[in-house]
Amino acid sequence: MKILSLFTCLTVLLGSLPTSAEQLSEKSEFWPDNAQLVISISMQFEATAQDATDAGPFPQIEVGYHDTISPTWFQYGMNEGIPRLLDLWDKHNIKVTSHMVGRAVELNPMLAKEVVTRGHEASGHGQAWTPQYSMTAEQERASYIKSANIIEKITGTRPVGFNAFWMRHSKNTLSILQNLGFIYHIDDLSRDEPSYTPVNGKPFVVVPYTFRNNDIVRYSGSTAMTSKAYLQELKDEFDVLYSEGKTRRRIMSISAHDRVAGTPARVKALDDFILYVKQHQGVKFMRKDNIAKWIMQQTQVPTNPARKFND
């Protein structure tokens, strides 16, 4: 009877376990290290490359007069914002993706190099603050090549990811990026998980960006909020995605612009949020290039419709 009971118990136990390699890896395929949720932070490196007429948060100055204050607001991003954010990432041993405008890298080479030296990704963000959709295909391609060359020369790494000006592409953007060796872009708000978009018959990775967790959106305009309110919203967003991450691949994207997120109160909000996240098991912070490379090795990845333009 004892032998039979032991055999029965083993049969029941083995019968409850996955029976194939695919079943065994189903949960672990969501994210590396069997993470329940991945958080990816974008740190825009773009201030000082703005157009001379960009008034920032101030009223537009009349034509024919010099704007003496707006440039200082942007300069804050390089003097204070990026250094303060870099120290925050170091404090928590987090690596982020820095979307770098080529001209900003030219104007701030030592700081741009430091971003990469401290372990963060240098990603493409155009050569200047010029909308991609307003360019010809030749202009767009040339700007990406120039920007990538500058970033590589100064930081030692060549970007493989891209963030467009205000997320708006031209109809040629993805094809040009793919042809130049980029492997992913972030300008897609349609999912809370990475996906593929077909480009020239081949999959191009989407590592989704954010509008709702975007500091430049939430700290200005009609949706303006305090640092405390932003912190609570980040926590609420995390709670839902973390719970959903038990059964499906989930990603939380957060945006931190140099001159916006790098102020003392806003860095404290990010610090408090990271401390909150660290109270939960199975959360992983990842650079977007590493996310894209992971996704390219997976089989269960949603595919978006190929882009079509009616013109």
Side-chain angles (χ1 to χ4, degrees), residues 19 35 59 66 77 84 87 98-99 105 132 154 159 174 193 197 216 218 232 248 277 287 293 308:
T19 56
H66 295 289
R84 188 175 284 128
D87 287 345
S98 185
H99 308 288
V105 173
Q132 275 67 38
I154 291 175
L174 294 187
E193 66 178 311
T197 292
I216 206 166
R218 304 323 305 270
Q232 186 59 55
R248 57 192 302 198
V277 166
R287 296 172 16 162
K293 291 171 185 176
K308 295 181 180 179

Coordinates of all heavy atoms in Angstrom, one line a residue, residues 19 35 59 66 77 84 87 98-99 105 132 154 159 174 193 197 216 218 232 248 277 287 293 308:
T19 N 4.7 19.7 -19.6 CA 5.2 18.5 -20.3 C 6.1 18.8 -21.5 O 6.5 17.9 -22.2 CB 4.0 17.6 -20.7 OG1 3.2 18.4 -21.5 CG2 3.3 17.1 -19.5
A35 N 11.3 38.2 -15.0 CA 10.8 39.4 -14.4 C 9.3 39.5 -14.7 O 8.8 39.1 -15.7 CB 11.4 40.6 -15.0
P59 N 6.4 83.5 -22.7 CA 5.6 84.0 -23.9 C 6.6 84.3 -25.0 O 7.8 84.6 -24.8 CB 5.1 85.3 -23.3 CG 5.1 85.2 -21.8 CD 6.2 84.3 -21.5
H66 N 15.7 90.4 -28.9 CA 16.5 89.3 -28.4 C 15.9 88.6 -27.2 O 15.5 89.3 -26.3 CB 18.0 89.7 -28.1 CG 18.7 90.2 -29.2 ND1 19.2 89.3 -30.2 CD2 19.1 91.4 -29.6 CE1 19.8 90.0 -31.1 NE2 19.8 91.3 -30.8
G77 N 19.1 72.3 -18.3 CA 19.1 70.8 -18.5 C 20.5 70.2 -18.6 O 20.7 69.1 -18.1
R84 N 22.1 65.7 -12.3 CA 21.3 65.3 -11.2 C 20.6 63.9 -11.5 O 20.6 63.0 -10.6 CB 20.3 66.3 -10.9 CG 19.5 66.1 -9.6 CD 18.6 67.3 -9.2 NE 19.4 68.4 -8.7 CZ 19.3 69.6 -9.2 NH1 18.5 69.9 -10.2 NH2 20.0 70.6 -8.6
D87 N 23.1 61.0 -11.3 CA 23.4 60.6 -9.9 C 22.2 59.8 -9.4 O 22.5 58.8 -8.6 CB 23.6 61.8 -9.1 CG 25.0 62.5 -9.3 OD1 25.8 61.9 -9.9 OD2 25.1 63.7 -8.9
S98 N 19.1 57.2 -23.3 CA 19.2 58.6 -23.5 C 19.1 58.9 -25.0 O 19.9 58.5 -25.8 CB 20.5 59.1 -23.0 OG 20.6 60.6 -23.1
H99 N 17.9 59.5 -25.3 CA 17.7 59.9 -26.7 C 18.4 61.2 -27.0 O 18.0 62.3 -26.4 CB 16.2 60.1 -26.9 CG 15.4 58.8 -26.5 ND1 15.4 57.6 -27.1 CD2 14.6 58.7 -25.4 CE1 14.7 56.8 -26.5 NE2 14.2 57.3 -25.5
V105 N 24.7 67.0 -28.5 CA 25.9 66.2 -28.2 C 27.1 67.0 -28.6 O 28.1 67.0 -27.9 CB 25.9 64.8 -28.9 CG1 27.2 64.1 -28.8 CG2 24.7 64.0 -28.4
Q132 N 10.5 65.4 -38.3 CA 10.9 64.5 -39.4 C 9.9 64.5 -40.5 O 10.3 64.4 -41.7 CB 10.9 63.0 -38.8 CG 12.3 62.7 -38.2 CD 12.6 63.5 -36.9 OE1 11.7 63.7 -36.1 NE2 13.8 63.8 -36.7
I154 N 31.7 61.0 -30.5 CA 31.9 61.6 -29.1 C 31.7 60.6 -28.0 O 32.4 60.6 -27.0 CB 30.9 62.8 -29.0 CG1 31.4 63.9 -29.9 CG2 30.8 63.2 -27.6 CD1 30.4 65.1 -30.0
P159 N 24.1 54.7 -32.2 CA 22.7 54.4 -31.8 C 22.0 53.3 -32.7 O 22.3 53.3 -33.9 CB 22.0 55.8 -32.0 CG 22.8 56.5 -32.9 CD 24.2 56.1 -32.7
L174 N 10.7 54.9 -40.9 CA 11.0 53.5 -40.5 C 11.9 52.8 -41.6 O 12.8 52.1 -41.2 CB 9.8 52.7 -40.2 CG 9.0 53.2 -39.0 CD1 7.9 52.2 -38.7 CD2 9.9 53.3 -37.8
E193 N 3.3 46.8 -24.3 CA 4.3 45.8 -24.5 C 5.0 46.0 -25.8 O 4.4 46.7 -26.7 CB 3.7 44.4 -24.4 CG 2.7 44.1 -25.6 CD 2.1 42.7 -25.6 OE1 2.9 41.7 -25.4 OE2 0.9 42.5 -25.7
T197 N 6.5 46.1 -36.1 CA 5.8 46.7 -37.3 C 6.6 46.3 -38.5 O 7.8 46.4 -38.6 CB 5.9 48.2 -37.2 OG1 5.0 48.6 -36.0 CG2 5.3 48.9 -38.4
I216 N 7.3 66.1 -19.7 CA 7.1 67.3 -20.4 C 5.6 67.6 -20.7 O 5.2 68.7 -20.8 CB 7.9 67.4 -21.7 CG1 8.2 68.8 -22.1 CG2 7.2 66.7 -22.8 CD1 9.3 69.0 -23.2
R218 N 3.1 66.1 -18.5 CA 2.4 66.2 -17.2 C 2.8 67.4 -16.3 O 2.1 67.8 -15.4 CB 2.7 64.9 -16.4 CG 2.3 63.6 -17.1 CD 1.1 63.7 -18.0 NE -0.1 64.1 -17.3 CZ -1.0 63.3 -16.7 NH1 -0.8 62.0 -16.7 NH2 -2.1 63.8 -16.2
Q232 N 2.2 59.9 -7.5 CA 1.1 59.1 -7.2 C 0.6 58.4 -8.5 O 0.2 57.2 -8.5 CB -0.1 59.8 -6.6 CG -1.2 59.0 -6.1 CD -0.8 57.9 -5.1 OE1 -0.2 58.2 -4.1 NE2 -1.1 56.6 -5.4
R248 N 1.0 38.2 -18.5 CA 1.3 38.7 -19.9 C 2.5 39.6 -19.8 O 2.9 40.1 -18.8 CB 0.1 39.4 -20.5 CG -0.4 40.5 -19.8 CD -1.7 41.0 -20.3 NE -1.7 41.4 -21.7 CZ -2.6 42.2 -22.2 NH1 -3.6 42.6 -21.6 NH2 -2.5 42.5 -23.5
V277 N 9.0 51.0 -6.1 CA 9.1 49.9 -7.0 C 10.0 48.8 -6.3 O 9.7 47.6 -6.4 CB 9.7 50.3 -8.3 CG1 10.2 49.1 -9.1 CG2 8.7 51.2 -9.1
R287 N 17.4 49.1 -20.4 CA 17.7 50.0 -21.5 C 16.8 49.5 -22.7 O 16.6 48.3 -22.9 CB 19.1 50.0 -21.9 CG 20.0 50.5 -20.9 CD 21.5 50.4 -21.1 NE 21.9 50.1 -22.5 CZ 23.2 50.3 -23.0 NH1 24.1 50.8 -22.2 NH2 23.5 50.0 -24.2
K293 N 16.6 43.8 -28.3 CA 17.4 42.6 -28.6 C 16.8 41.4 -28.0 O 16.8 40.3 -28.6 CB 18.8 42.8 -28.1 CG 19.6 43.8 -28.9 CD 21.0 44.1 -28.3 CE 21.7 45.2 -29.1 NZ 23.0 45.6 -28.4
K308 N 0.4 52.3 -43.8 CA -0.1 52.7 -45.1 C -0.4 54.2 -45.1 O -1.0 54.7 -44.1 CB -1.4 51.9 -45.5 CG -1.1 50.4 -45.7 CD -2.4 49.7 -46.1 CE -2.1 48.2 -46.3 NZ -3.3 47.5 -46.7

